């Protein structure tokens, strides 16, 4: 059944795109549901009085003078379920969050809680009320006659420039082109239709338009209500943002740090189209829209556009972007080889390419995947191309995986070609036997490594026999070149290998995999194994911990099952979660799996290397790839995602038969460890044209953020043939908070011009904290039994005694963190904010209430103290009293955390280091204790769990202290900027407040 949302409640499909339109709508009035404290809802007709001084409702049993709220008494207008009544369990599931709003009014801060039929109606009332509260009944320019606004003046000046004849009129075709130039994503047909509508309504048909009609058409077509709504929230000066407003928006909403007025002026100069706005430092709606759409405001964190991770770790600690049969353009066995596939893969940052060498008809080796000689590519041509493009997109090492299917004579030619063409780039130094790990990508910069078989040291001839690789055997079997006798005998097939080719292999020597125990005892760090998708999948399901442990020291490559004759792709996340570094993808096949791969490798400057999560790299750590819950010592995070609207969405490619109408919805998917995999969809936006409004909030819990990927998919609910419209895939770690545009891409990963999703992103650390709005404020929180992370018994007395000393510090660390988190959530809820809000927003909200009060501020912040108390001056209303109590609790719990954290942190580290002292002796102690089989496995697991828990809890405490210090800094900063702070000298230096604890070494 379709999920749908109707916007038909807006009269005459009116587009609310200015404060004037909102106030007009309120003057006409509409039906809203009034929510009582007993959770009952009553339909009432609400209307703004003609004098714009009060809001009334009817019918009402009250005296008509009492069934109203005066605008001057309004303290705040909240969107969503932000009061105790709307949060109560009896109501929370009866209507969506975006359809509720509350008016906080009067000296006692009472709340009038209302539910509208749609988010559009909420936007109109909230925007109109906020405008009236800020500016009184001073008529917005579009309602009254007065000085033209900044925007109108600018649009008129654009018209004047186009009025070449200076007749006060321009041809409709020129007007259409003008608006198209200012809004490149808009369809010409949409603009033409708007001019026809306006000409008809004003009874001025013809081939020309006057300036007033042009201004009206531009404002109706190019004003996005959701952005105007946002502008009004932050604007302190009518319908544009001043430098202080913009600074507040960037700090509070976009999470930017260290923003200055100079930076804001740069933004205005770059994006504000009107000359007057640029000169005065004003950002009006068009400039604000341009800024929000720009790369400066991208959802993708700009620091991840360059290499930003530590590149000095061993090679086995990175995921490596890998291609399987990169030269193919169609599919595995009917596809044709084409040399441009290699260029494409290398250009996308691929750092591992597979080359299958066959005997060529001219006596030289070739690369091809079909028995037809017509489709082969000379090996020398491929190597020449690799030499040209190897480091065009990334300076980090390239691994060539050679699968040898040709004779020893042609292998010698291949080796000579590699040496001659690649020269100094080839890495030929023998591995250092005294080392334990592979060199780092930084050490191997600009080098090409050969992965392949190597002759045993005992072989002194010019060629010898080595075991064939499974991957090559599967391919040969399909192409009819398999040695049938060896296959029938079931023995391992042997192939001839020339010494010249063997000598090119150094750090990536291919060896057959036997079992994890044999690898642990005998495999050397420069040896690596390749696994078929089926084999790797079996290990990932049956023994994920062993596969993770194996991948800490050794490289592993996973290649697609030969059954994928259509060159489809496996899900790389299935193997990344177990630490497999090289998951070979068919780059030529677009779709979900390739989206995940290309999105994932974008996070480190698209250099083809991504550092694996610390929990997968540390020598002693407990990590279960198939965990269904949060991991020990890794803080779970909540992603609050609001999908607001879509812009310039194209039709699905294969839907030519269905006309122009698209009925889109958005799916947000999280891909990661099994505990994180989830998918939520929005409602379908019906009859929305190219710019649908969704206005829907989605929530995800992320247990291992470092391995999570967020994918947006836009689909058509009324499709014929093809439902896919667009997608965008981004690693969770690259998300920027705040209001962002998502640049949509096609199925093949190509950018779709001007097609975007407008979203709001917020990330909170508290597990379950984002569900604060689902419960009432009364004592329900206390009923939740606090869960403490504890150590596990290993069965070895001496070791267990060491870990037992950490029991109390672990409890203390949890209490310190949870007490602060609970106090923070209570304070934010009383301020009418979500758990995703920051401290600055809380202080600014309280200040806004006080500024809308007739009396002088009745509450002040004493900034002279390090932990600033919020002090009441005389009697204050009940709600403010509750806010003060919650603030005091939050300050006291933060103080306890800040002052106690170092001592508890130190105890946790001591226990962890004492445990690690046993690590080297662990196998000797186990033998002495007589532990074998399952008991031994259990003891090793418990030991790794304990080390991980101690390190993780110490890290969490360290972060909690840093956050508490940051909150204090925000309180000082906000107190000074909003006028309720007193005795405020300079706010404490963030660097002094945020002194970090020493990190725990890996």
């Amino acid at each position: 059944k379709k999920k749908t949302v109707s916007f038909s409640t807006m009269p005459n499909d009116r587009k609310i795109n200015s404060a004037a339109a909102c106030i007009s709508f309120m003057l006409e009035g509409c039906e809203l549901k009034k929510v009582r404290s007993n959770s009952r809802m009553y339909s009432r007709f609400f209307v703004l009085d003609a004098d714009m001084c009060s809001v009334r409702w009817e019918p009402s049993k009250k005296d008509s003078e009492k069934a109203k709220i005066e605008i001057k008494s309004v303290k705040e207008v909240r969107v969503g379920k932000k009061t105790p009544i709307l949060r109560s369990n009896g109501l929370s599931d009866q209507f969506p969050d975006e359809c509720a709003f509350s008016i906080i009014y009067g000296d006692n801060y009472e709340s009038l809680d209302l539910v509208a039929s749609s988010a559009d109606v909420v936007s109109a009332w909230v925007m109109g009320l906020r405008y009236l509260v800020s500016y009184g009944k001073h008529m917005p320019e579009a309602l009254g006659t007065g000085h033209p606004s900044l925007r109108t003046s600018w649009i008129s000046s654009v018209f004047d420039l186009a009025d070449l004849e200076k007749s006060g009129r321009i041809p409709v075709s020129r007007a259409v082109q003008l608006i198209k130039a200012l809004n490149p994503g808009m369809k010409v047909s949409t603009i033409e239709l708007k001019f026809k509508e306006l000409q008809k309504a004003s009874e001025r048909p013809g081939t020309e338009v006057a300036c007033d009609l042009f201004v009206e058409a531009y404002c109706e077509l190019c004003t996005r209500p959701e952005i105007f709504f946002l502008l009004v929230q932050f604007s302190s000066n009518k319908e544009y943002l001043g430098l202080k407003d913009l600074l507040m928006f960037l700090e509070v909403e976009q999470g930017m740090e260290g923003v200055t007025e100079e930076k804001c002026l740069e933004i205005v100069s770059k994006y504000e189209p009107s000359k007057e706005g640029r000169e005065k430092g004003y950002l009006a709606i068009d400039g604000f829209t341009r800024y929000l759409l720009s790369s400066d405001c991208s959802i993708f964190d700009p620091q991840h556009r360059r290499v930003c991770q530590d590149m000095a770790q061993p090679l086995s600690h990175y995921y490596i972007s890998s291609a399987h049969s990169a030269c193919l353009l169609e599919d595995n066995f009917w596809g044709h080889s084409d040399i441009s596939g290699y260029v494409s893969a290398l250009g996308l940052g691929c750092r591992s390419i597979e080359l299958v060498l066959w005997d060529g008809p001219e006596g030289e080796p070739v690369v091809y995947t079909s028995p037809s000689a017509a489709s082969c590519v000379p090996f020398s041509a491929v190597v020449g191309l690799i030499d040209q493009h190897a480091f065009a997109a990334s300076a980090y090492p390239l691994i060539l995986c050679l699968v040898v299917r040709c004779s020893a004579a042609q292998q010698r030619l291949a080796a000579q070609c590699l040496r001659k063409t690649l020269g100094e780039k080839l890495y030929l130094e023998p591995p250092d036997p005294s080392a334990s790990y592979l060199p780092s990508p930084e050490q191997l910069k600009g080098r090409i490594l050969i992965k392949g078989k190597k002759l045993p040291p005992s072989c002194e001839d010019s060629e010898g026999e080595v075991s064939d690789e499974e991957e090559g055997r599967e391919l040969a079997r399909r192409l009819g070149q398999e040695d049938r006798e060896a296959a029938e005998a079931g023995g391992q097939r042997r192939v001839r290998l020339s010494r010249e080719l063997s000598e090119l292999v150094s750090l990536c020597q291919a060896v057959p995999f036997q079992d994890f125990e044999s690898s642990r005892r005998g495999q050397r760090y420069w040896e690596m194994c390749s696994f078929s998708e089926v084999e790797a999948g079996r290990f990932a399901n049956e023994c994920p911990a062993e596969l993770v442990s194996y991948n800490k020291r050794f490289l592993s490559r996973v290649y697609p099952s030969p059954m994928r004759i259509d060159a489809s792709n496996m899900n790389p996340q299935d193997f990344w979660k177990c630490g497999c570094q090289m998951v070979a993808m068919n780059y030529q096949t677009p779709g979900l799996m390739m989206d995940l791969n290309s999105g994932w490798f974008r996070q480190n400057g698209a250099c083809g290397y991504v550092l694996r999560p610390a929990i997968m790299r540390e020598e002693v750590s407990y990590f279960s790839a198939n965990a269904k819950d949060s991991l020990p010592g890794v803080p779970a995070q909540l992603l609050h995602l609001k999908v607001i609207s879509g812009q310039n969405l194209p039709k699905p490619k294969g839907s030519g038969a269905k006309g122009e109408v698209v009925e889109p919805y958005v799916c947000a998917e999280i891909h990661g460890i099994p505990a994180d995999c989830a998918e939520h969809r929005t409602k379908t936006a019906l009859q929305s044209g190219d710019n649908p409004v969704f206005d829907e909030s989605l929530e995800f819990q992320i247990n291992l953020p470092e391995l999570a990927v967020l994918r947006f998919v836009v689909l058509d609910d009324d499709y014929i043939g093809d439902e896919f419209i667009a997608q965008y895939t981004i690693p969770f770690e690259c998300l920027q908070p705040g209001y962002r545009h998502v640049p949509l891409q096609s199925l093949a990963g190509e950018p779709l011009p001007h097609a975007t999703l407008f979203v709001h992103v917020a990330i909170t650390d508290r597990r379950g904290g984002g569900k604060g709005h689902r419960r009432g404020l009364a004592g329900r929180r206390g009923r939740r039994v606090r869960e403490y992370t504890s150590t596990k018994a290993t069965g070895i007395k001496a070791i267990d005694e060491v870990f037992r000393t950490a029991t109390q510090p672990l409890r203390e660390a949890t209490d310190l963190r949870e007490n602060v988190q609970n106090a923070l959530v209570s304070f934010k809820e009383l301020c009418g904010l979500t758990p995703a809000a920051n401290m600055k927003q809380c202080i600014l909200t309280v200040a806004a209430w006080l500024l809308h009060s007739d009396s002088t501020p009745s509450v002040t912040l004493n900034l002279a103290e390090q932990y600033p108390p919020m002090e009441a001056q005389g009697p204050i209303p009940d709600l403010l009293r509750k806010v003060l109590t919650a603030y005091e609790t939050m300050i006291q719990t933060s103080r306890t955390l800040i002052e106690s954290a170092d001592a508890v942190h130190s105890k946790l580290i001591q226990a962890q280091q004492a445990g690690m002292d046993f690590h080297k002796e662990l196998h000797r102690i186990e033998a002495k204790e007589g532990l074998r089989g399952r008991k031994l496995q259990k003891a090793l697991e418990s030991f790794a769990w304990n080390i991980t828990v101690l390190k993780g809890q110490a890290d969490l405490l360290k972060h909690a202290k840093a956050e508490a210090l940051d909150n204090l800094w925000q309180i000082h900063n906000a107190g000074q900027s909003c006028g309720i702070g007193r005795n405020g000298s300079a706010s404490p230096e963030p660097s002094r407040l945020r002194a970090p604890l020493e990190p725990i070494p890996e």
Side-chain angles (χ1 to χ4, degrees), residues 126 263 549 566 687:
V126 172
K263 172 67 181 169
S549 183
D566 57 352
Q687 299 166 349

Side-chain angles (χ1 to χ4, degrees), residues 152 439 512 584 614 625 742 910:
T152 308
V742 177
Q910 283 170 10

Side-chain angles (χ1 to χ4, degrees), residues 419-440:
R419 277 184 188 271
K420 184 181 172 186
T421 311
L422 303 178
E424 292 295 306
K425 292 175 190 163
L426 263 187
Y427 185 89
L428 301 173
E429 295 161 37
D432 177 3
S434 64
S436 301
Y437 286 93
L438 287 162
S440 69

Side-chain angles (χ1 to χ4, degrees), residues 607-683:
C607 74
Y609 285 82
V610 168
L611 189 62
R612 296 186 314 174
I615 201 166
M616 289 187 180
R617 305 192 309 263
E618 288 150 1
E619 193 176 351
V620 180
S621 65
Y622 179 87
F623 172 68
S624 172
N626 295 329
K628 296 284 190 289
D629 204 349
S630 58
L631 303 164
V634 179
Q637 297 194 330
L638 266 160
L639 170 63
H640 311 266
L641 188 66
K642 186 171 188 182
V643 182
I644 302 167
S645 60
Q647 291 73 47
N648 308 310
L649 299 180
K651 281 199 310 176
K653 264 195 172 170
S655 64
K658 63 167 280 195
E660 291 299 310
V661 180
V662 173
E663 295 188 350
Y665 64 96
V666 179
C667 266
E669 307 165 349
I670 294 287
H671 298 266
I673 60 170
D676 292 344
C677 291
E679 177 185 316
H680 295 310
R681 61 160 284 178
T682 66
K683 306 178 192 77

Side-chain angles (χ1 to χ4, degrees), residues 178-198:
L178 257 184
I179 290 180
K180 172 77 175 166
L182 293 167
N183 235 302
M186 196 170 285
K187 288 180 183 169
V188 169
S189 57
T190 307
I191 307 170
E192 288 172 341
L193 188 64
K194 178 55 68 181
F195 276 117
K196 280 178 188 168
E197 280 175 17
L198 293 176

Side-chain angles (χ1 to χ4, degrees), residues 812 815-817 819-820 867 888-904 957 961 964:
E812 286 173 23
D815 285 338
L816 288 170
R817 287 188 297 105
N819 289 348
V820 171
Y867 301 96
E888 182 60 27
T889 306
M890 190 250 324
I891 284 290
Q892 288 309 322
T893 54
S894 298
R895 181 174 189 160
T896 308
L897 167 68
I898 291 164
E899 292 175 354
S900 311
D902 288 8
V904 177
L957 189 59
K961 179 183 174 182

Side-chain angles (χ1 to χ4, degrees), residues 629-886:
D629 204 349
S630 58
L631 303 164
V634 179
Q637 297 194 330
L638 266 160
L639 170 63
H640 311 266
L641 188 66
K642 186 171 188 182
V643 182
I644 302 167
S645 60
Q647 291 73 47
N648 308 310
L649 299 180
K651 281 199 310 176
K653 264 195 172 170
S655 64
K658 63 167 280 195
E660 291 299 310
V661 180
V662 173
E663 295 188 350
Y665 64 96
V666 179
C667 266
E669 307 165 349
I670 294 287
H671 298 266
I673 60 170
D676 292 344
C677 291
E679 177 185 316
H680 295 310
R681 61 160 284 178
T682 66
K683 306 178 192 77
T684 300
L686 298 173
Q687 299 166 349
S688 56
D690 305 329
N691 302 299
V693 174
F694 303 103
D695 232 335
E696 194 154 354
S697 299
L698 313 172
E699 196 176 275
F700 299 90
Q701 179 168 307
I702 316 289
N703 294 289
L704 185 55
E706 289 174 281
L707 209 58
V709 174
L710 170 63
R711 183 173 186 254
F712 296 94
V713 195
V714 188
L715 300 166
D716 185 2
D717 213 345
D718 186 33
Y719 66 96
I720 295 174
D722 183 10
E723 62 178 337
F724 178 87
I725 296 173
Q727 63 84 24
Y728 182 74
T729 309
I730 179 171
F732 181 81
E733 298 279 275
C734 297
L735 284 171
Q736 287 215 95
Y739 288 93
R740 307 286 174 182
H741 280 92
V742 177
L744 294 172
Q745 298 177 341
S746 69
L747 191 63
E750 292 149 356
L752 293 170
H754 313 296
T756 53
L757 285 179
F758 188 44
V759 300
H760 182 266
V761 176
I763 296 164
T764 53
D765 283 337
R766 182 169 190 256
R767 184 170 176 234
K771 298 203 166 58
H773 63 276
R774 292 198 181 275
R775 52 168 182 249
L777 288 178
R780 295 176 61 80
R781 188 175 287 100
R783 295 181 196 171
R784 185 171 72 85
V785 177
R786 184 164 290 177
E787 293 173 11
Y788 293 99
T789 308
S790 57
T791 55
K792 293 181 178 179
T794 61
I796 301 167
K797 191 178 176 185
I799 295 176
D800 286 342
E801 277 176 8
V802 165
F803 287 132
R804 212 169 288 126
T805 63
T807 305
Q808 191 55 34
L810 280 172
R811 287 184 73 88
E812 286 173 23
T814 303
D815 285 338
L816 288 170
R817 287 188 297 105
E818 289 268 328
N819 289 348
V820 171
Q821 287 290 1
N822 288 341
L824 274 170
V825 171
S826 287
F827 179 54
K828 289 175 184 179
E829 283 184 347
L830 282 163
C831 291
L833 297 168
T834 66
N838 59 34
M839 188 51 59
K840 195 164 189 176
Q841 282 168 294
C842 297
I843 302 301
L844 294 174
T845 300
V846 175
W849 296 347
L850 300 168
L851 294 173
H852 289 140
S853 176
D854 294 335
S855 56
T856 52
S858 50
V859 171
T860 56
L861 268 174
N862 185 356
L863 300 181
E865 299 190 27
Q866 189 191 354
Y867 301 96
M870 203 179 264
E871 297 162 347
Q873 317 294 318
I876 57 169
D878 185 44
L879 177 68
L880 267 184
R881 173 75 54 206
K882 285 180 180 172
V883 168
L884 258 65
T885 306

